[in-house]
């Protein structure tokens, strides 16, 4: 237990002991603590203490040597630095002002110096009578009983009366509780009150935020108001609103003035009867009873949430406490319906954005996940779109755009989107346990088949086969003509090369001719040519059917290096996203080549770095463009458009997490919930829900549903047109020949003699 020493007049008593005797005890302690004539006394202070006053308080003992240890209130951990601890270990006696010595004692206990005691002194004590009539003394048994029921092991006592605060602190310390005492004045500004609260939270990182608040209505209101704003002013790195517990002790007459608009979740109020200076020390049970209330959340008209005090029990000055309801019931209700502002970005299938009557609505896996979190942790939410429409990119050292910038500037509470976890973003924000994994790929449209449909009759065979067929055709015509010319029984009219050519052409396409062979050699040759034509025609027809059913595609490239090395296609990525940093600062030569291309294209076409992914989709579907982002969304595009293809290699493996402000107290809580979702199979169910639609572009689907189009048969019509043209040309040629013959024969038509 701390020893409080008042270096003042001899009329003041401490714990029933006259100050003269107490001063004598301190001097004995000094003499025992040192074997030399000079005694070192350490003074731990945050402000200058008059050394002459200290020596005068010690009866002007000249053998006392003071060692000042300056510990600023805003940096209490200076006390436990190694160099400061070395000084403290060499000092037999440590003194500290009454308003900070409890803080320093807690730090020394926490960091392994439990035997080192800090003696508290109060240079200008209040009159003892003021302490005697303090409500903290009159009702301290009931207050301590309530604190024990709340199962507090440590208490931060805040009061506007230093004697009152220290009196109750001594009572709590005597019962084994760890106490930190903070005092304030009713006239203190909000900034001063905020600084006191900040000091109470930074004294020890493991110290629970259990506050016993004593004072008048005005001072209590300022403290609760500043505590409610604490998290926002602390850049959302704390959770004063949900994790702190408050027990407010005020007079009954101040209850009507008690401000119920505090948004601290856990506030209990003890009201004691009004006390005057002539009020007797001992009162009857009838007049000594007080009431207990708790600040609840209540729904009012219109769905708005407000606070209302609910009566939960009574107490008296003898220590009897009766509560028929929980003192802090809001502890069991999570965030108690608190509104969280979440930012998201459109990224199918994680988040879909719809415009309904001019108002944006959101749905998708991320929205389902946020809704489930709100049900389990009891909070409400509002989803918004970042004003600049970006994910988050470092636009200057330490300055970010998009959703990351909103977190950095405390404009939102969290991000719920397919936001990629990266080392650069982790410097300015926190990420939860990953809820999704993906990889980056490129998507492009294959060249249009319409430009080559007229050549479909040539597709069943390669150019080498076509060349061999042409050589075989010419050789067969010449060989058959030779065989017919060398035949002894050749026709008297001679052998016609044209008839021989048509005969071989008919055999190649399986056209039936009445061939009368007069030699064995000719018969053998014609038979095998016919067989050759039958085999090649069957193979050609089978392949042609397959080409009509399933289009044969020729991919312009398959990998990222192939994309970077060609000049026919342009490429780009989503501006303001993680992928800009990947390509711009990536160490891979392929990434650098891609980024050089993006910069070059951006000079004439800024849309290659546009933030709207659907604009990139239009460019991809128009052709000659590659878009690099995550694969999940691009796979959905490819399922909807059978002309789109994904590159075979990936750019980068990514993880998605919920974004929170840096050093957020909720990171662990939200991560635990996401792990629970994964174990319960919720992510699998949500993926089945939002990864919707079958693959309409599989080979089976295309073969089963593809119908012939005019483009597929255009080559056949071209052949028909060519045949008509040749026939017309032949007719015209025959007419010309006939006309010449008539003119040569004098105009008399030729006649036949039977």
């Amino acid at each position: 237990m701390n020893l409080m020493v008042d270096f003042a007049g001899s009329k003041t008593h401490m714990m029933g002991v006259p100050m003269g005797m107490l001063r004598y005890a301190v001097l004995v302690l000094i003499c025992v603590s040192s074997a030399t004539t000079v005694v070192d006394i350490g003074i731990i202070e945050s402000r200058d203490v008059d050394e002459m006053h200290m020596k005068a308080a010690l009866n002007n003992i000249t053998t006392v040597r003071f060692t000042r240890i300056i510990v600023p209130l805003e940096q209490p951990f200076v006390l436990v630095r190694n160099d400061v601890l070395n000084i403290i270990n060499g000092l037999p006696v440590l003194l500290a002002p009454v308003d900070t010595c409890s803080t320093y004692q807690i730090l020394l206990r926490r960091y392994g110096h439990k035997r080192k005691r800090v003696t508290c002194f109060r240079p200008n004590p209040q009159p003892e009578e003021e302490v005697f009539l303090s409500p903290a003394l009159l009702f301290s048994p009931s207050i301590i009983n309530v604190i024990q029921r709340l199962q507090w092991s440590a208490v931060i006592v805040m009061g506007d009366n230093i004697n009152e605060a220290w009196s109750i602190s001594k009572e709590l310390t005597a019962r084994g509780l760890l106490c930190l005492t903070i005092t304030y004045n009713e006239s203190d500004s909000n900034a001063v009150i905020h600084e006191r609260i900040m000091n109470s939270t930074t004294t020890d990182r493991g110290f629970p935020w259990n506050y016993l608040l004593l004072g008048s209505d005005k001072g209590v209101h300022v403290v609760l108001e500043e505590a409610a704003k604490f998290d926002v002013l602390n850049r959302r790195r704390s959770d004063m609103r949900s994790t702190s517990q408050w027990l407010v002790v005020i007079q009954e007459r101040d209850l009507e003035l008690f401000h119920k608009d505090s948004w601290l979740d856990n506030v209990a109020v003890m009201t004691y009867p009004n006390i005057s200076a002539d009020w007797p020390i001992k009162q009857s049970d009838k007049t000594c009873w007080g009431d207990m209330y708790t600040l609840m959340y209540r729904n009012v008209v219109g769905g708005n949430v407000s606070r209302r005090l609910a009566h939960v029990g009574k107490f008296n000055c003898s220590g009897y406490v009766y509560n028929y309801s929980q003192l802090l019931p809001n502890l069991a209700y999570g965030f108690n319906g608190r509104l969280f502002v979440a930012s998201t970005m459109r990224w199918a299938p994680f988040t879909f954005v719809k415009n309904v009557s001019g108002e944006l609505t959101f749905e998708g896996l991320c929205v389902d996940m946020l809704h489930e979190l709100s049900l389990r942790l009891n909070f409400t939410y509002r989803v918004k779109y970042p004003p600049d429409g970006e994910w988050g990119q470092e636009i200057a050292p330490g300055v970010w755009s998009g959703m990351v910038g909103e977190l950095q500037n405390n404009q939102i509470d969290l991000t719920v989107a397919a936001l990629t976890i990266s080392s650069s973003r982790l410097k300015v924000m926190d990420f939860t346990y990953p809820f999704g994994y993906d990889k980056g790929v490129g998507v492009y449209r294959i060249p249009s088949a319409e430009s080559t449909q007229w050549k479909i009759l040539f597709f069943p065979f390669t150019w080498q086969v076509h060349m061999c067929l042409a050589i075989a055709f010419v050789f067969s015509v010449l060989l058959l003509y030779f065989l017919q010319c060398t035949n002894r029984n050749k026709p008297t009219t001679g052998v016609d090369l044209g008839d021989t050519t048509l005969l071989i052409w008919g055999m190649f396409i399986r056209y039936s001719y009445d061939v009368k062979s007069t030699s064995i050699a000719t018969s053998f040759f014609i038979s095998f040519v016919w067989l050759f034509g039958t085999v090649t025609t069957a193979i050609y027809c089978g392949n042609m059917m397959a080409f009509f059913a399933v289009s044969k595609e020729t991919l312009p490239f398959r990998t990222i290096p192939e994309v970077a090395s060609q000049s026919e296609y342009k490429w780009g990525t989503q501006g303001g996203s993680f992928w800009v940093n990947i390509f711009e600062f990536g160490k891979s030569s392929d990434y650098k080549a891609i980024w050089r291309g993006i910069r070059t294209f951006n000079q004439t076409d800024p849309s290659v770095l546009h933030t709207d992914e659907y604009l990139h989709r239009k460019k991809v579907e128009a052709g000659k463009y590659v878009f690099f982002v995550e694969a999940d969304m691009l796979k959905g595009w490819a399922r909807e458009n059978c002309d789109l293809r994904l590159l075979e290699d990936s750019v980068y493996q990514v993880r998605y997490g919920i974004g929170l402000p840096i050093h957020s107290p909720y990171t662990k809580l939200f991560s635990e919930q996401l792990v629970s979702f994964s174990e319960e199979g919720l992510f699998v169910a949500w993926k089945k829900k939002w990864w919707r639609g079958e693959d309409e572009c599989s080979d089976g689907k295309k073969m089963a549903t593809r119908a012939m189009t005019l483009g597929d048969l255009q080559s056949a019509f071209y052949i028909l047109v060519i045949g008509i043209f040749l026939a017309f040309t032949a007719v015209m040629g025959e007419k010309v020949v006939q006309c010449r013959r008539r003119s040569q024969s004098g105009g008399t038509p030729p006649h036949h003699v039977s």
Side-chain angles (χ1 to χ4, degrees), residues 333-369:
Y333 299 124
F335 289 109
N336 290 281
R338 185 193 311 181
L339 176 65
F340 281 95
V341 180
S343 187
T344 190
M345 284 283 288
R346 179 181 60 196
W347 199 255
F350 292 94
T351 306
F352 298 91
V353 182
K354 297 182 179 179
N355 193 326
V356 180
S357 301
E359 183 178 352
L360 295 180
T361 60
F362 304 88
E363 61 181 10
L365 182 145
C366 289
V367 180
D368 286 353
M369 178 178 62

Short mmCIF file of all heavy atoms in Angstrom, two decimals, residues 333-369:
data_model
loop_
_atom_site.label_atom_id
_atom_site.label_comp_id
_atom_site.label_asym_id
_atom_site.label_seq_id
_atom_site.Cartn_x
_atom_site.Cartn_y
_atom_site.Cartn_z
N TYR A 333 -23.95 -7.28 -25.04
CA TYR A 333 -24.58 -6.97 -26.32
C TYR A 333 -23.60 -6.42 -27.35
O TYR A 333 -23.95 -5.62 -28.19
CB TYR A 333 -25.73 -5.98 -26.10
CG TYR A 333 -26.81 -6.50 -25.20
CD1 TYR A 333 -27.18 -5.80 -24.05
CD2 TYR A 333 -27.44 -7.71 -25.47
CE1 TYR A 333 -28.16 -6.28 -23.20
CE2 TYR A 333 -28.43 -8.20 -24.63
CZ TYR A 333 -28.78 -7.49 -23.50
OH TYR A 333 -29.76 -7.98 -22.67
N GLY A 334 -22.37 -6.88 -27.29
CA GLY A 334 -21.40 -6.51 -28.32
C GLY A 334 -21.22 -5.02 -28.46
O GLY A 334 -20.93 -4.31 -27.50
N PHE A 335 -21.45 -4.54 -29.70
CA PHE A 335 -21.29 -3.12 -29.97
C PHE A 335 -22.56 -2.32 -29.72
O PHE A 335 -22.62 -1.12 -30.03
CB PHE A 335 -20.84 -2.91 -31.42
CG PHE A 335 -19.43 -3.33 -31.68
CD1 PHE A 335 -19.16 -4.46 -32.44
CD2 PHE A 335 -18.37 -2.62 -31.17
CE1 PHE A 335 -17.86 -4.85 -32.70
CE2 PHE A 335 -17.06 -3.01 -31.41
CZ PHE A 335 -16.80 -4.12 -32.17
N ASN A 336 -23.61 -2.96 -29.22
CA ASN A 336 -24.83 -2.27 -28.82
C ASN A 336 -25.43 -1.42 -29.93
O ASN A 336 -25.85 -0.28 -29.73
CB ASN A 336 -24.57 -1.41 -27.59
CG ASN A 336 -24.33 -2.24 -26.34
OD1 ASN A 336 -25.26 -2.73 -25.72
ND2 ASN A 336 -23.06 -2.41 -25.99
N GLY A 337 -25.45 -2.00 -31.13
CA GLY A 337 -26.09 -1.31 -32.25
C GLY A 337 -25.32 -0.13 -32.79
O GLY A 337 -25.89 0.70 -33.52
N ARG A 338 -24.05 -0.03 -32.50
CA ARG A 338 -23.25 1.10 -32.99
C ARG A 338 -23.21 1.11 -34.51
O ARG A 338 -23.17 0.07 -35.16
CB ARG A 338 -21.83 1.02 -32.44
CG ARG A 338 -20.97 2.23 -32.81
CD ARG A 338 -19.51 2.00 -32.54
NE ARG A 338 -19.29 1.49 -31.20
CZ ARG A 338 -18.08 1.23 -30.72
NH1 ARG A 338 -17.01 1.41 -31.47
NH2 ARG A 338 -17.94 0.76 -29.50
N LEU A 339 -23.23 2.30 -35.08
CA LEU A 339 -23.17 2.45 -36.53
C LEU A 339 -21.72 2.43 -37.00
O LEU A 339 -20.90 3.23 -36.55
CB LEU A 339 -23.84 3.75 -36.96
CG LEU A 339 -23.75 4.07 -38.46
CD1 LEU A 339 -24.52 3.03 -39.27
CD2 LEU A 339 -24.27 5.48 -38.73
N PHE A 340 -21.42 1.50 -37.91
CA PHE A 340 -20.12 1.45 -38.56
C PHE A 340 -20.28 1.89 -40.02
O PHE A 340 -21.18 1.43 -40.72
CB PHE A 340 -19.53 0.04 -38.53
CG PHE A 340 -18.93 -0.35 -37.22
CD1 PHE A 340 -19.66 -1.04 -36.27
CD2 PHE A 340 -17.62 -0.01 -36.91
CE1 PHE A 340 -19.11 -1.40 -35.06
CE2 PHE A 340 -17.05 -0.36 -35.71
CZ PHE A 340 -17.80 -1.05 -34.78
N VAL A 341 -19.41 2.77 -40.46
CA VAL A 341 -19.41 3.21 -41.85
C VAL A 341 -18.37 2.39 -42.59
O VAL A 341 -17.17 2.41 -42.26
CB VAL A 341 -19.09 4.71 -41.96
CG1 VAL A 341 -19.08 5.14 -43.42
CG2 VAL A 341 -20.10 5.53 -41.17
N ALA A 342 -18.82 1.66 -43.60
CA ALA A 342 -17.95 0.77 -44.37
C ALA A 342 -17.84 1.27 -45.80
O ALA A 342 -18.84 1.70 -46.40
CB ALA A 342 -18.48 -0.67 -44.35
N SER A 343 -16.66 1.21 -46.35
CA SER A 343 -16.43 1.60 -47.74
C SER A 343 -16.17 0.36 -48.57
O SER A 343 -15.55 -0.61 -48.10
CB SER A 343 -15.23 2.55 -47.83
OG SER A 343 -15.09 3.05 -49.14
N THR A 344 -16.66 0.36 -49.79
CA THR A 344 -16.48 -0.80 -50.66
C THR A 344 -16.28 -0.33 -52.10
O THR A 344 -16.48 0.85 -52.41
CB THR A 344 -17.69 -1.75 -50.57
OG1 THR A 344 -17.40 -2.98 -51.25
CG2 THR A 344 -18.92 -1.12 -51.21
N MET A 345 -15.89 -1.26 -52.94
CA MET A 345 -15.70 -1.00 -54.37
C MET A 345 -16.39 -2.11 -55.16
O MET A 345 -16.42 -3.26 -54.74
CB MET A 345 -14.22 -0.97 -54.73
CG MET A 345 -13.50 0.31 -54.31
SD MET A 345 -13.85 1.69 -55.40
CE MET A 345 -12.96 1.22 -56.88
N ARG A 346 -16.94 -1.73 -56.29
CA ARG A 346 -17.58 -2.72 -57.17
C ARG A 346 -16.54 -3.68 -57.70
O ARG A 346 -15.56 -3.28 -58.33
CB ARG A 346 -18.28 -1.99 -58.32
CG ARG A 346 -18.96 -2.93 -59.32
CD ARG A 346 -19.59 -2.13 -60.42
NE ARG A 346 -18.60 -1.35 -61.15
CZ ARG A 346 -18.89 -0.34 -61.96
NH1 ARG A 346 -20.13 0.04 -62.11
NH2 ARG A 346 -17.92 0.31 -62.59
N TRP A 347 -16.74 -4.94 -57.43
CA TRP A 347 -15.81 -5.97 -57.92
C TRP A 347 -16.53 -7.32 -57.86
O TRP A 347 -16.55 -7.98 -56.84
CB TRP A 347 -14.54 -6.00 -57.08
CG TRP A 347 -13.41 -6.69 -57.78
CD1 TRP A 347 -12.92 -7.93 -57.53
CD2 TRP A 347 -12.63 -6.16 -58.86
NE1 TRP A 347 -11.89 -8.22 -58.38
CE2 TRP A 347 -11.69 -7.13 -59.22
CE3 TRP A 347 -12.65 -4.96 -59.56
CZ2 TRP A 347 -10.78 -6.94 -60.24
CZ3 TRP A 347 -11.73 -4.78 -60.58
CH2 TRP A 347 -10.81 -5.76 -60.91
N ALA A 348 -17.14 -7.69 -58.98
CA ALA A 348 -17.87 -8.94 -59.04
C ALA A 348 -16.91 -10.12 -58.90
O ALA A 348 -15.79 -10.07 -59.44
CB ALA A 348 -18.62 -9.04 -60.37
N PRO A 349 -17.31 -11.16 -58.17
CA PRO A 349 -18.61 -11.34 -57.50
C PRO A 349 -18.60 -10.93 -56.02
O PRO A 349 -19.51 -11.29 -55.30
CB PRO A 349 -18.83 -12.85 -57.65
CG PRO A 349 -17.44 -13.42 -57.54
CD PRO A 349 -16.52 -12.40 -58.16
N PHE A 350 -17.56 -10.23 -55.57
CA PHE A 350 -17.49 -9.85 -54.16
C PHE A 350 -18.46 -8.73 -53.83
O PHE A 350 -19.10 -8.74 -52.78
CB PHE A 350 -16.06 -9.45 -53.80
CG PHE A 350 -15.08 -10.58 -53.83
CD1 PHE A 350 -14.33 -10.84 -54.97
CD2 PHE A 350 -14.92 -11.39 -52.73
CE1 PHE A 350 -13.43 -11.90 -55.00
CE2 PHE A 350 -14.02 -12.45 -52.74
CZ PHE A 350 -13.28 -12.71 -53.88
N THR A 351 -18.57 -7.75 -54.72
CA THR A 351 -19.48 -6.64 -54.49
C THR A 351 -20.11 -6.22 -55.82
O THR A 351 -19.40 -5.94 -56.78
CB THR A 351 -18.75 -5.43 -53.88
OG1 THR A 351 -18.06 -5.84 -52.70
CG2 THR A 351 -19.74 -4.34 -53.51
N PHE A 352 -21.45 -6.20 -55.83
CA PHE A 352 -22.20 -5.67 -56.96
C PHE A 352 -22.85 -4.37 -56.53
O PHE A 352 -23.35 -4.25 -55.42
CB PHE A 352 -23.28 -6.66 -57.41
CG PHE A 352 -22.75 -7.99 -57.89
CD1 PHE A 352 -22.60 -9.04 -57.00
CD2 PHE A 352 -22.41 -8.19 -59.21
CE1 PHE A 352 -22.11 -10.27 -57.42
CE2 PHE A 352 -21.93 -9.41 -59.65
CZ PHE A 352 -21.78 -10.45 -58.75
N VAL A 353 -22.85 -3.39 -57.43
CA VAL A 353 -23.44 -2.09 -57.13
C VAL A 353 -24.58 -1.85 -58.11
O VAL A 353 -24.41 -1.99 -59.32
CB VAL A 353 -22.39 -0.96 -57.24
CG1 VAL A 353 -23.01 0.38 -56.89
CG2 VAL A 353 -21.21 -1.25 -56.33
N LYS A 354 -25.75 -1.50 -57.56
CA LYS A 354 -26.91 -1.19 -58.38
C LYS A 354 -27.41 0.20 -58.03
O LYS A 354 -27.33 0.63 -56.88
CB LYS A 354 -28.02 -2.22 -58.14
CG LYS A 354 -27.66 -3.63 -58.55
CD LYS A 354 -28.83 -4.58 -58.32
CE LYS A 354 -28.49 -6.00 -58.76
NZ LYS A 354 -29.61 -6.94 -58.52
N ASN A 355 -27.93 0.88 -59.03
CA ASN A 355 -28.51 2.20 -58.85
C ASN A 355 -30.01 2.07 -58.91
O ASN A 355 -30.59 1.87 -59.98
CB ASN A 355 -27.99 3.16 -59.93
CG ASN A 355 -28.30 4.60 -59.60
OD1 ASN A 355 -29.32 4.91 -59.02
ND2 ASN A 355 -27.40 5.50 -59.98
N VAL A 356 -30.65 2.18 -57.76
CA VAL A 356 -32.10 2.06 -57.65
C VAL A 356 -32.66 3.43 -57.29
O VAL A 356 -32.48 3.92 -56.17
CB VAL A 356 -32.50 1.01 -56.60
CG1 VAL A 356 -34.01 0.90 -56.51
CG2 VAL A 356 -31.86 -0.34 -56.92
N SER A 357 -33.34 4.04 -58.25
CA SER A 357 -33.97 5.36 -58.05
C SER A 357 -32.95 6.38 -57.57
O SER A 357 -33.23 7.18 -56.65
CB SER A 357 -35.13 5.25 -57.05
OG SER A 357 -36.10 4.33 -57.52
N GLY A 358 -31.77 6.34 -58.15
CA GLY A 358 -30.74 7.30 -57.79
C GLY A 358 -29.97 6.99 -56.53
O GLY A 358 -29.09 7.76 -56.13
N GLU A 359 -30.26 5.87 -55.89
CA GLU A 359 -29.56 5.48 -54.67
C GLU A 359 -28.79 4.19 -54.90
O GLU A 359 -29.32 3.23 -55.47
CB GLU A 359 -30.57 5.29 -53.53
CG GLU A 359 -29.92 4.96 -52.19
CD GLU A 359 -30.94 4.82 -51.07
OE1 GLU A 359 -32.12 5.13 -51.32
OE2 GLU A 359 -30.54 4.41 -49.97
N LEU A 360 -27.54 4.18 -54.46
CA LEU A 360 -26.69 3.01 -54.67
C LEU A 360 -27.05 1.93 -53.66
O LEU A 360 -27.19 2.19 -52.47
CB LEU A 360 -25.22 3.39 -54.52
CG LEU A 360 -24.64 4.35 -55.57
CD1 LEU A 360 -23.17 4.62 -55.28
CD2 LEU A 360 -24.81 3.80 -56.98
N THR A 361 -27.22 0.73 -54.16
CA THR A 361 -27.41 -0.44 -53.31
C THR A 361 -26.30 -1.44 -53.59
O THR A 361 -25.80 -1.52 -54.72
CB THR A 361 -28.78 -1.10 -53.56
OG1 THR A 361 -28.87 -1.52 -54.94
CG2 THR A 361 -29.91 -0.13 -53.26
N PHE A 362 -25.94 -2.20 -52.56
CA PHE A 362 -24.79 -3.10 -52.65
C PHE A 362 -25.22 -4.51 -52.30
O PHE A 362 -26.05 -4.73 -51.41
CB PHE A 362 -23.68 -2.64 -51.70
CG PHE A 362 -23.22 -1.22 -51.92
CD1 PHE A 362 -23.85 -0.17 -51.29
CD2 PHE A 362 -22.17 -0.95 -52.79
CE1 PHE A 362 -23.44 1.13 -51.49
CE2 PHE A 362 -21.75 0.35 -53.00
CZ PHE A 362 -22.39 1.39 -52.35
N GLU A 363 -24.62 -5.47 -53.00
CA GLU A 363 -24.83 -6.87 -52.69
C GLU A 363 -23.61 -7.65 -53.14
O GLU A 363 -22.74 -7.14 -53.84
CB GLU A 363 -26.10 -7.41 -53.37
CG GLU A 363 -26.07 -7.33 -54.89
CD GLU A 363 -27.34 -7.85 -55.52
OE1 GLU A 363 -28.31 -8.08 -54.77
OE2 GLU A 363 -27.36 -8.04 -56.75
N GLY A 364 -23.53 -8.90 -52.70
CA GLY A 364 -22.39 -9.73 -53.03
C GLY A 364 -21.84 -10.43 -51.80
O GLY A 364 -22.38 -10.31 -50.69
N LEU A 365 -20.75 -11.15 -51.99
CA LEU A 365 -20.16 -11.90 -50.89
C LEU A 365 -19.74 -10.98 -49.74
O LEU A 365 -19.96 -11.29 -48.57
CB LEU A 365 -18.96 -12.71 -51.40
CG LEU A 365 -18.25 -13.61 -50.38
CD1 LEU A 365 -17.75 -14.88 -51.05
CD2 LEU A 365 -17.07 -12.92 -49.70
N CYS A 366 -19.12 -9.86 -50.06
CA CYS A 366 -18.64 -8.95 -49.01
C CYS A 366 -19.80 -8.37 -48.21
O CYS A 366 -19.69 -8.20 -46.99
CB CYS A 366 -17.81 -7.84 -49.62
SG CYS A 366 -16.19 -8.38 -50.22
N VAL A 367 -20.90 -8.07 -48.86
CA VAL A 367 -22.05 -7.51 -48.16
C VAL A 367 -22.68 -8.57 -47.27
O VAL A 367 -23.08 -8.29 -46.13
CB VAL A 367 -23.07 -6.95 -49.17
CG1 VAL A 367 -24.28 -6.38 -48.44
CG2 VAL A 367 -22.42 -5.88 -50.03
N ASP A 368 -22.75 -9.82 -47.75
CA ASP A 368 -23.26 -10.91 -46.90
C ASP A 368 -22.36 -11.11 -45.69
O ASP A 368 -22.85 -11.35 -44.58
CB ASP A 368 -23.34 -12.21 -47.71
CG ASP A 368 -24.50 -12.21 -48.69
OD1 ASP A 368 -25.32 -11.26 -48.63
OD2 ASP A 368 -24.60 -13.14 -49.50
N MET A 369 -21.07 -11.03 -45.89
CA MET A 369 -20.13 -11.19 -44.78
C MET A 369 -20.29 -10.06 -43.77
O MET A 369 -20.30 -10.30 -42.54
CB MET A 369 -18.71 -11.20 -45.33
CG MET A 369 -17.61 -11.31 -44.28
SD MET A 369 -15.96 -11.39 -45.04
CE MET A 369 -15.90 -9.80 -45.87
#
